[in-house]
């Protein structure tokens, strides 16, 4: 899939039968473009960098009656984004406020921390800029991930998904052995006569 920046590119991408559309942070307030893309009927992934909750609400209210296939990405429009400005908790705020899938459009330099933390907080999608080399010409290469870093990111995300588990508090298969011999239980410390009351001195 790809980003549509105007009606013409939206039509061109539609002619290619792409499975989804990306809307860049710069077009968060471009409701004519957003509703035009929404009417195409494909899933929409919208970055919210530089926006407020009110801005996102305006887009949400415009898109949802037309096309409810919406995913909102927490994004900080700074390239690269300092770690203390990623503001991942805003992703949870988007999820709680709008009830749609959420993710992270991450421009921080570290390939692991923000993406893995986003998945731990419920992200269904992580976007990162990617390059073959940060020495290439162009505006995005200097803060993009190189191939080995992208591999580290994917590995960290998959590991995070594993450790999250299913969420039920129950005895897991790997705990059975320890549960069988290490849990405290009641036992006698001397012979107990019939009818004798159990007490601290005999159990």
């Amino acid at each position: 899939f790809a980003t549509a920046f105007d009606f013409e590119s939206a039509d061109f991408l539609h002619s290619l039968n792409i499975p989804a559309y990306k809307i860049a942070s710069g077009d968060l307030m471009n409701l004519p473009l957003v509703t035009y893309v929404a009417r195409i009927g494909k899933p929409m992934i919208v970055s919210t960098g530089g926006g407020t909750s009110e801005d996102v609400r305006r887009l949400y209210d415009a898109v949802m009656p037309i096309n409810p296939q919406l995913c909102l990405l927490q994004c900080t429009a700074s390239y690269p984004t300092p770690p203390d400005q990623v503001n991942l908790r805003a992703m949870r705020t988007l999820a709680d406020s709008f009830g749609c899938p959420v993710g992270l459009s991450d421009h921080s330099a570290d390939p692991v921390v923000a993406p893995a933390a986003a998945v731990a907080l419920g992200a269904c999608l992580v976007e990162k800029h990617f390059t073959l080399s940060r020495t290439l010409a162009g505006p995005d290469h200097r803060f993009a991930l190189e191939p080995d870093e992208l591999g580290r990111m994917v590995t960290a995300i998959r590991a995070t998904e594993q450790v999250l588990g299913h969420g039920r508090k129950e005895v897991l298969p790997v705990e059975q052995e320890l549960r069988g011999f290490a849990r405290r239980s009641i036992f006698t410390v001397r012979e107990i006569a019939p009818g004798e009351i159990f007490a601290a001195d005999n159990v």
Side-chain angles (χ1 to χ4, degrees):
F1 62 92
T3 300
F5 287 99
D6 49 46
F7 295 168
E8 292 77 16
S9 60
D11 290 340
F12 172 71
L13 293 172
H14 182 53
S15 75
L16 299 177
N17 197 29
I18 63 167
Y21 280 83
K22 171 76 192 301
I23 300 294
S25 292
D27 284 317
L28 180 64
M29 300 297 293
N30 186 350
L31 295 188
L33 174 62
V34 168
T35 53
Y36 187 86
V37 171
R39 287 188 186 94
I40 294 171
K42 298 288 181 74
M44 297 175 64
I45 301 162
V46 179
S47 284
T48 61
T52 65
S53 290
E54 291 76 20
D55 297 334
V56 179
R57 171 61 66 185
R58 196 172 294 114
L59 176 137
Y60 179 89
D61 289 344
V63 167
M64 290 303 279
I66 304 168
N67 182 356
Q69 302 173 91
L70 179 64
C71 177
L72 297 171
L73 303 185
Q74 161 57 12
C75 174
T76 301
S78 174
Y79 309 89
T81 302
D84 65 344
Q85 301 294 303
V86 173
N87 194 19
L88 267 179
R89 287 194 174 101
M91 185 188 75
R92 290 304 321 155
T93 300
L94 292 173
D96 295 340
S97 298
F98 301 104
C100 61
V102 294
L104 174 67
S105 176
D106 181 35
H107 306 121
S108 63
D110 189 284
V112 170
V113 175
V119 170
L121 288 175
C124 69
L125 188 153
V126 173
E127 178 189 57
K128 269 284 204 186
H129 288 244
F130 173 71
T131 183
L132 296 178
S133 171
R134 278 193 282 272
T135 62
L136 292 172
D140 291 359
H141 295 287
R142 65 186 176 86
F143 63 86
L145 297 187
E146 291 183 332
D148 63 318
E149 295 170 314
L150 184 68
R152 287 171 50 208
M153 183 190 85
V154 172
T155 298
I157 285 173
R158 295 294 173 248
T160 301
E161 290 170 334
Q162 273 193 315
V163 301
L164 286 172
H166 50 58
R168 300 183 300 276
K169 184 56 188 166
E170 60 187 31
V171 180
L172 298 169
V174 294
E175 296 180 293
Q176 291 291 356
E177 181 182 3
L178 189 71
R179 178 181 168 87
F181 74 81
R183 282 168 62 92
R184 299 288 183 167
S185 58
I186 295 175
F187 60 94
T188 62
V189 294
R190 61 172 174 77
E191 282 195 27
I192 299 174
E196 184 180 347
I197 302 298
F198 290 128
D201 66 339
N202 61 17
V203 298

